[in-house]
Amino acid sequence: MKTEVREAAVVTVAVALCGLLLGVLWWWLAPRVPLVGDVVDKNWVVYLKETEGEQAVGVDGTFTLLALAFGLVSAVVVFLLRRRGGVPLVVALGVGGLLGSLLAWRVGVWLGPAQDVIAHAKSVGKGVTFSAPLKLGAKGALLAWSLSALIVHLGLTALFGPRDPDPYEHASYGQDGPYGGQSGPYEGSSAA
């Protein structure tokens, strides 16, 4: 059990650290949400340049798709390295995926455009287009990595994992079969 817990801890840390790569990819691949600054009554205000734009949804979708891919890859790698699986390993995949997603979210926000949109609007000037801060609107996307990893690992274990031995495989029965000449375990019972 100590070995399984040690391996699970290593898997958790390794999967979580992959969140750095996810964060960089999210920052690099996510669409930019264009904003425009303006002065109204001596106060700076910021508007969406395209009110019908779908870039904000694209930011969430990019994170989700990348997280699903990271979950798939991490599950395959963990399965190939440790085919027997086990509860600690599965928990490590789930926890590592969640920690990796949280780390990716924070790294992407940190790398992305400035968080203070008013100061950014003032620095670029009135009417100039600039990018909104990278923001994850759908917080449920943080679970995509874990869910993907768990489902893929479960599928791989079910298809290619070691099988439990069949308890009846090596049992020897006489000529009469396993029930000693009876027609079944419920001799004398009749179907209505």
Side-chain angles (χ1 to χ4, degrees):
M1 185 65 172
K2 287 181 183 179
T3 304
E4 286 185 1
V5 171
R6 192 176 318 117
E7 289 175 351
V10 169
V11 167
T12 301
V13 171
V15 170
L17 287 177
C18 290
L20 292 170
L21 179 59
L22 174 60
V24 171
L25 286 173
W26 179 49
W27 163 71
W28 184 46
L29 296 173
R32 303 292 180 232
V33 179
L35 300 176
V36 176
D38 196 6
V39 179
V40 177
D41 296 330
K42 299 181 184 177
N43 292 320
W44 276 89
V45 292
V46 177
Y47 301 105
L48 285 170
K49 182 175 182 181
E50 302 170 15
T51 56
E52 299 288 327
E54 298 176 356
Q55 293 91 344
V57 175
V59 170
D60 292 347
T62 302
F63 185 91
T64 303
L65 291 174
L66 286 170
L68 289 171
F70 271 69
L72 183 140
V73 170
S74 61
V76 168
V77 168
V78 167
F79 177 76
L80 291 176
L81 293 176
R82 179 111 163 73
R83 286 188 184 259
R84 287 190 319 248
V87 173
L89 193 63
V90 174
V91 170
L93 268 175
V95 171
L98 180 60
L99 293 175
S101 292
L102 290 169
L103 181 61
W105 172 40
R106 298 313 307 160
V107 166
V109 168
W110 178 69
L111 289 173
Q115 294 296 311
D116 188 355
V117 292
I118 298 296
H120 197 175
K122 288 179 183 177
S123 69
V124 296
K126 180 180 175 182
V128 177
T129 302
F130 63 97
S131 295
L134 201 56
K135 178 181 165 188
L136 187 63
K139 299 297 189 274
L142 294 171
L143 298 175
W145 186 341
S146 295
L147 292 175
S148 172
L150 294 176
I151 290 169
V152 170
H153 191 269
L154 175 66
L156 289 172
T157 303
L159 291 173
F160 305 111
R163 301 282 180 244
D164 290 336
D166 185 5
Y168 300 111
E169 184 176 332
H170 299 293
S172 63
Y173 303 113
Q175 280 184 313
D176 298 329
Y179 302 112
Q182 301 173 1
S183 61
Y186 304 106
E187 182 184 2
S189 63
S190 62

